[in-house]
Structures are given as structure tokens and as C-alpha cells.
Amino acid sequence: MNVFASSVSRVWREQKYKYRLLGGECKGCGTRFYPYRRHCYICGSEDVKIIELPRKGRLITYTIIYSPPSDFHLQQPYIVGIVELDDGTRVLAQVTDIHPEEVKNGLRVEAVFRKYREQGEDGIIEYGIKFRPSLK
Amino acid sequence: MKVSDVSIVGYGAYIPMYRIKDAEIARVWGRDPKRVPIEEKSVPGPDEDSLTIAVEATLNALKRAKIPKEKIGAILVGSESPPYAVKPSATVLAEVIGVNRIVAVDMEFACRAGTTAIQSIIGMVSSGMIEAGIAIGTDTAQGRPGDELEFTAAAGAASFVISKKGSEDIAVFEGSFSYITDTPDFWRREGQRFPRHAYRFTGEPAYFRHIYNAAKGLMEELGLRPSDFSHVVFHQPNVKFPLRIASRLGFSKEQLKHGLLSGYVGNTYAAASLIGLANVLDNSSVGERILVVSFGSGAGSDAFSLVVEDGIEAKRDLAPKVFDYINRKKYVDYSFYSKFRKNIAIR
Amino acid sequence: MEKVYVCGVGATPISEHWEFSLRDLMVEAASRALNDSKLSKKDIEAVYIGNMSSGVLQGQEHLGSLFTTWFGIPGVSAQKCEAACASGGVAFHQAFLAVASGVYDCVLALGVEKMSDANTYDVTSALIMADDQDYVAFTGVSFVGLNALIYRRYMEKFNVKQEDIALFAVHDHKYAVNNPLAQYRKAITIDTVLNSPVVADPIRLLECAPIGDGAAAILLCSEDLVKKIEKDNVIEVVGSAAATDILSLHNRKDLVTLNATKIAVRKALQMANIEIKDVDIVELHDAFTILGVIHLEDLGFAKKGEGWKLVKEGEIEKDGKIPVNMMGGLKARGHPVGATGIYEIIDLVTQLRGEAGKNQVDDAEIGLAQNVGGVGGTVTVNILKRIR
């Protein structure tokens, strides 16, 4: 198990950004990004507003993982992709509720709250946002 | 118990995508595939649990409720399959919505946990303690491999935003009634993974007795008869039981129609009667009266009477409907079902 | 700025070295470099060690002091440099700066990685540390997976077939046959590549650099020292630069360009006072075939979307317009992560010294080595020139 990434406090610290898809909007240059960070990585401005990103978008690239890192080893195969949300912000996330053979670029997707991993049988559960094919 | 000025302002449901046919379960355990209680049941995906499905149902309910999140004073989650034995799902739900200054707590009463949550929220709203609250029934039921109940133990969630009666109500509560006894028809001991049940004892002394008494009690108190209701929803562990109790109480199959979904998705435990209610709301008209009677082993029933209000017309289409989820399905075989349900011993 | 020269190189073969530990590998590479230079231990004044994952895979940090103790040069300044898979290139850049500043006359740049003590799942977990742990590793994506996102995007954007990109692996293996240090010394065909198992769709196993152990070392010295040791061929480091880019793919506008390569190559060329067309041979960081193609474009050898044509048309062969990865590249020579940057430069030095045997490029005078960390989060470009 990845000892260092799995610290409870560390998971807790990032929770709200993951649960609510909280990004940042730089007041300096207008860039919107995920996740939120205090300093804009494009222009360096420290005037970044925290925003709730749109929940729908489309898949612009993806892969299917067949050789996972240790914590994910029983989940294979799973799909990871970059979703371009309807406001242009891009997010990296798993794509769920779809068979690997059915995924393709351009797929309309929507955000859903799912389990990413469990820290063993008796550890905490890490939740976050994945994307699934849009219902409508 | 009479209820005044409390309404449902938002509702939502969620059913996972996967299904397994009862005939497939029968195949593995050597049963007759023609003598199974239902056609198929819902199966939660490997990245789902009773908390994640409650989140989606709740976000749907909030889409319909259209109230600012600051008005939510309580979140109560009813489930018998929470991901943690100690650590409530309600607090995660609160975090997802983005509120801290609220009452957030999990409740348990087998399949009645969702309606138990509704009772409490009605109480908190009525008393003026809170302006609005969310009551959720959710389960990813633990079906013991090889047991009768494996054929029906399914997964689903339904969520209701309840507030003081206002101008955009979906349905208003007329009254509620609860009937309980100490009846050990189905139970799960601390530390055990799967529940146990008492076979035929779960019928007359449990399901039928409590639903009958709760329904009768409510109707007597409100001075109503079966013909006053357009729709009736019962807890639905299979298809036979709700049909039989409906008949015994004097309700017709027509009244049961929209509220009986176990044939499509199985028994979603704490969500069962509530998903039935959500589907009724998806298909009802203004002015129609609805009777909902849950049943939870242990045992008890909650009965509610509601009348559909104007708000339903504009709000119905603001979020996915129950049948949007019922019609979204992919079948798995028993091996994948077992893998998803973690019934295969690992490490 | 003082001039900086290469006065010794040495490296271990790349393999699963079951018999040799991390410290054994470091010491062996340093010894070989020292022998090659004809200098002695007491000449070394500072050490920069490139390594990515000694902490997580070996439970070992503080490689600087570990090395000076195990090598027997106590008291000497020594530190680990880390920039994911660009750690070696960064260690070299630091060593270059140390001599160029005039403070030191003789500095050792060493790269080492010991990967085979961990199982593949744990190595996969370690490698994704090259990207954001909380928001990228969190999704379960593997490092190969990140590159697969680039690969798919590239194929779609420029309408290129996988078989044309996968050719890069065939190229690397062809030249590794004649490299005694290479991890894989057998030629392979495009069919073998395309039929190998999928690791992260669409990337096939044989399109990926292997996991292996190795250490490589280069001694850099000042003009004064080079004159003293009277070497036959003198190789000067004429350009050295490092740059970073936005860490994660999803935060970048362009998924198929590594901006850090463009910045680093521009700075290095400027320092060397040459243009890209003056470069005779190239070592680039093809951890995956798609990267080989993209680096050709970002370094300036092809237009965006056309790098694969250079491969297909044979322009990167020994007698092509721009010979690339003449000793096997990452795919076949190997990629012990933190050491690769140093191996690349040693492969250049071998060519510039005329010691490449069957792989020798005629009249190789200026060589460029590009080393990449993460998905381009860090890129170093180092340019070497044969003086005589």
C-alpha cells in the first residue's frame, strides 16, 4: 500500500475539492483550473476565486489501465480520461459505468460521486468525482 | 399523528446500472429458474456503496427543491448497509452539499430506516427547529450467497427535501402513523456480514401485521378510506407481498401500479417504499392523494398520507426520473456479481 | 563563466541486478568513470546524484553521504538531485554549474536507480509520484496511462496510425544490439511490438522503456584540470539548461507539446551559440514511442504532428539526416529512471569519441541530450562538442 499517500489527514485535507469539484478562477488572467490553488499557475496572481465547476463535459482523451499501481490492482481494467467541462476547465478522472470497449473521444459525460479506493479492509474509504456517460 | 404545513419540496432517486437475473442466481445454486420471486435485481457497481448512491439521489432531490443550501437544517440517512459501522454517511453528504451548521446523523431500522428519517425531519420542520431537512433511504443490501434473500437483495436510494409548506411544494403531508413491536423476523448481529431471517415468520407476524396496523391506524386517524387514495406504495421485498396486503386493505392493483417496482429492480431495502413514492410522484397529477407504508424488520411500519401539489408540474423534469434509472441497465453474470459484491474471498 | 569539459565516463550495464545493491551500483559507476578519467579519488570536489525513488523503493535517503562513505571520499560535498525521470539530466546540469561557476575544478555527476527490489505494482505506484499525488495519482492512473492520454490525443489530432509511432521501438532495438551496456540487445519487429500486451490503452508493452537497475557517472572538470590530464579527445559541455512546465496534463492547453523541451533547448542552444541544425546526433527521452515522436518535434527537427515521418523515412538512422538514440535509447538501452540522463550523455560521449563501433556516426561533432521528468514537468537539454 502506498503508505505516504494514504495518510488520513492528507485525504481529509483535500476532501472538499474532490467531493464538490472545486476549482479556481484567476482574477488576473481569467484562467479556470482544477483543483483550486491559491496562486494562478499561468500568471502567478494570488487573486484566485474558489468556484464550483460545471458537472458536465466531454471526454477529450482517455486510456484503459491494465497495469495498475498497487492500491488499484484489483480494479483493472479501468478507464481514466481527461474531461473538458462545459466551461473549458479540464479534469483528470476515472470514467465509470461504461465498458472499456464502448469509450470513445467526444463522449458526453457527467460528474458522479464514487469510491476511488479503500485503504485496506479496515482503513478509510477515499471518495471523489468520476464521470459517466450522460444520462440525457 | 396529524401533520400540518409540512411538504416535500424536492425528491430524487438513484438505482445503479447493473442487473443480475434471478434465473442466473438460480442457475448457480441449483434452483428452478422458473420459480424465482422476481425477474432481476439491481447490483451496485464496484465503485458504489450506500453512501455514493445516496449522494446522487440527494443531488437529484436538491435540483428539484431549488432551495439555497443554507436553509437545510438537517440531513438524516437511513440505511442498514452503511460503508462504516462507525462514521456516519450523513456527514459526508453534508460535506458534498457544502454545509456544516446542521444536524447530520445516520439512522437504522432495517428497511424502514428511510421513512424513519422522514418522520424525524417532519418533526424538526413542524416544530420550527429547522426550515428544511433532507431524509434519505439508501441500501446496497447484503444478500447472503445461496440464501433465499439473495434473489431480491438489491441496491437503490431515494432522497426527500422536506420543508415548511410554501409556494413550490411537490406534495404536502397530511399525517403520519407508526406501529412497532419487538418482532425478530430478520436481524443482523454486530460484526456479522449478512443478516439472518426467520423464513415464513417474516410474513404474517411481521410484514403483514405491521403494514396492516400502520395503514389502518393512519386512515382511521385521518378519516380516510382506500378509495380516497389515487396511489398506494408499500414496502416491497418481492411482488407477491405488496399485492396481497393491498388486496387485504382494500386497495386495487391500479392504485399499486406506479409504486410497485420490485419486479424491475428487486428489494432496495430502506429505499424500497421511497423509490416507489418517487416513481408515483414522477407519474402523478396535482390533487392526487398518496399512501406510503414502509416496513422494517425488528419490526415496524411508518405510514404517510400525502397530497400532490402544483409544484410537481414544473419540478418533475428537473432531475432524472426513476424510470430513467430503471431503463439504464447492463447485465452481469454471477461471477461479476460476486466480484462487485466482494463475495469472493480476497487476500 | 568557466568552460566545462567531460574528463571521464563510466556506467554499469542495465539489468535486473539481483546481486548488486543501490550502493554497489553507485560505487561501480563512479569507479569506472574515475578509471576512464585517469584522475584519482582525491581530485573529486563535489558530487551530484540523480535519483528518483530511493526513498519509496529502497527506504533510503541521504544518498550524498551514503555515496561518499561507500566510495571512500569522506568530506566531499554531495547531494541528491531529484526531478523524477530527469534526475540524471538535472544532476549533470548542477555539476556543470558547479564547474562553470569556477568554485570547483572536478565534479562527479552520478545517476542511479534500483527498481527491481520492488514488485511491478509498487514500482507503478512509485513512478506516478512524478505527477500530482492528490489529484492525478488519486485517480489510479499509471505513468504509462498518462502517456497513453497523450498518445491517443496525438493520433486523433494528426490522424497518425499507431504502427508509425511504434516504429520508434524497432529503431531503438536495432542500435542496442551493438551496445554492451544495453538491457535488451535483440532486434524486434513492428509486429512483435504491436502484438505485445496492452499496458495502458493504446500503449503496448514493447512501446515502453523497461524497468531496470543501473548507475552511470560522468566526471566534469575545468580547463586547468583538462590540460593537466592531457586527454586524447576533449569534449566540452557547450550548453546546459533545465526548464519546468505545468505539472499535470489536464492543466495544460496543449496535450501533445512539451513546453519545457522548447524552453530548455532554446536556452541550451543559446548558451552554445548554435542552431538546432548544427546538432549532429541526438539522445532523446523516449520512455514511450509517442514521446520519441513528440520530442523530435519539440526539439525542432520536425513540425508539430510530423515527427513520426522522420522515423518512418529513416531520417533518424545512423546515416540519416539526424541520427537519434544511436545506442538503443530508453526502450532498448534501458531506463533506470534517475540514471537515464547520465546514460544519455555517456552515449553521446561514446559517439563523439569515435568509440561507438558499428553504431558510429561519421564526423559526430556536436551532440544533444534531452532528459524528461514526469510528463514533461522537467526537461533538461545538454549539448556537448568534440573540441579535438
Side-chain angles (χ1 to χ4, degrees), chain C residues 69 77 110 121 207 215 219 262 266 276 322 332 334 337 346 372:
Chain C
T69 305
S77 162
L110 197 154
Y121 300 110
E207 295 185 86
L219 270 164
K262 296 172 85 163
R266 182 174 35 89
I276 196 65
I322 181 62
V337 177
I346 292 180
V372 178

Side-chain angles (χ1 to χ4, degrees), chain B residues 161-185:
Chain B
V161 183
I162 293 166
S163 94
K164 263 220 142 357
K165 192 168 180 349
S167 56
E168 289 191 76
D169 299 331
I170 284 172
V172 64
F173 286 98
E174 291 188 307
S176 85
F177 195 94
S178 288
Y179 182 84
I180 60 101
T181 66
D182 176 2
T183 302
D185 60 306

Side-chain angles (χ1 to χ4, degrees), chain A residues 5 10 14 17-18 34-35 37 41 61-64 66-70 72-73 78 90 92 94 105 116 127, chain C residues 121-122 124-125 133-136 138-140 142 145 148-149 152 156 198-201 246 250-253:
Chain A
R10 184 181 181 162
E14 307 299 324
Y17 307 104
K18 290 176 179 165
Y34 178 80
R37 62 208 86 164
Y41 62 80
T61 185
Y62 66 90
T63 181
I64 302 158
Y66 289 96
S67 181
S70 27
F72 292 82
H73 125 240
Y78 49 94
R90 291 176 178 175
L92 182 79
Q94 277 190 28
N105 278 347
Y116 262 99
Y127 296 100
Chain C
Y121 300 110
D122 289 340
T124 306
S125 289
Q133 179 63 236
D134 296 303
Y135 293 90
V136 171
F138 170 76
T139 67
S142 61
L149 295 174
R152 171 162 273 111
E156 190 183 71
V198 179
V199 179
D201 195 275
I246 296 163
H250 68 276
N251 284 144
R252 300 179 194 168
K253 279 212 177 64

Side-chain angles (χ1 to χ4, degrees), chain B residues 277-296:
Chain B
L277 171 58
N279 194 48
V280 165
L281 291 173
D282 283 346
N283 290 283
S284 61
S285 312
V286 181
E288 288 183 325
R289 179 176 276 111
I290 309 169
L291 175 67
V292 182
V293 193
S294 67
F295 169 73

Side-chain angles (χ1 to χ4, degrees), chain B residues 47-60:
Chain B
D47 58 5
E48 301 186 283
D49 60 22
S50 66
L51 167 55
T52 66
I53 68 182
V55 168
E56 179 148 351
T58 302
L59 293 177
N60 285 342

